[in-house]
Amino acid sequence: MANEIELAQGGNNFSANGGNAVTHFFDTSTMDGKMALYNAMQTPDKVDDHLNEELDVTNVLAQAVEVMNNETGEMRQSTRVVVVAEQGNYAATSPTLAHAFGNLFTVFGTPNTWAEPLKLKIVERKSRNGYKFFDIQPVMSKRK
């Protein structure tokens, strides 16, 4: 796949650095793949509005973005994560969510290797210092 990252060599490095960098697992050798990537990059739906919902995740992308610090007014680099699921696409500017997906990819492989969507929940947690961040939880499928 074009733009596929190599997680095994550098450990958990699911991110996008600089400019308009995007890391993804879409097959952009086809027009359908290019359209799916573009549509995911334009995602307006927020992860915040879908916390604790079971999502059938089919792809994930990380996009380098600049965000303004509300206290200082300074611009800084961050990572916008888009979760592509059968239920819809959901975005959050969250380096910790990108890190969580990097850990997930180490165990479950990357989306382009999954035989079927991976059922996940995006949850909100609090650090020891009281800061909120996003994390992911795999959901065990019910066996028959």
Side-chain angles (χ1 to χ4, degrees):
M1 309 268 149
N3 297 330
E4 184 178 316
I5 62 172
E6 296 179 27
L7 292 165
Q9 289 181 339
N12 179 350
N13 64 350
F14 182 65
S15 65
N17 296 313
N20 288 327
V22 177
T23 301
H24 64 86
F25 304 96
F26 290 86
D27 179 0
T28 56
S29 67
T30 68
M31 186 57 75
D32 286 345
K34 290 176 185 178
M35 293 291 278
L37 173 60
Y38 179 80
N39 287 332
M41 291 171 65
Q42 302 303 314
T43 296
D45 289 343
K46 296 180 181 180
V47 162
D48 309 56
D49 297 335
H50 299 278
L51 295 175
N52 301 308
E53 292 179 12
E54 289 187 9
L55 302 174
D56 298 302
V57 177
T58 58
N59 215 322
V60 183
L61 70 88
Q63 183 176 21
V65 294
E66 282 192 335
V67 294
M68 185 185 302
N69 181 317
N70 290 334
E71 294 173 13
T72 66
E74 293 177 333
M75 298 298 285
R76 64 177 172 79
Q77 287 288 320
S78 191
T79 302
R80 179 176 180 258
V81 176
V82 178
V83 179
V84 179
E86 291 180 349
Q87 294 84 352
N89 298 342
Y90 311 107
T93 301
S94 174
T96 56
L97 185 59
H99 183 81
F101 271 107
N103 287 338
L104 182 105
F105 298 155
T106 299
V107 175
F108 293 94
T110 55
N112 57 310
T113 67
W114 300 341
E116 58 189 38
L118 192 58
K119 193 171 286 294
L120 303 172
K121 285 184 183 180
I122 300 172
V123 297
E124 187 175 74
R125 301 200 191 280
K126 252 188 198 177
S127 72
R128 284 182 279 213
N129 295 333
Y131 295 107
K132 293 180 182 179
F133 64 93
F134 295 125
D135 199 1
I136 49 179
Q137 290 179 335
V139 177
M140 294 292 291
S141 61
K142 295 170 181 68
R143 305 266 187 235
K144 294 183 181 181

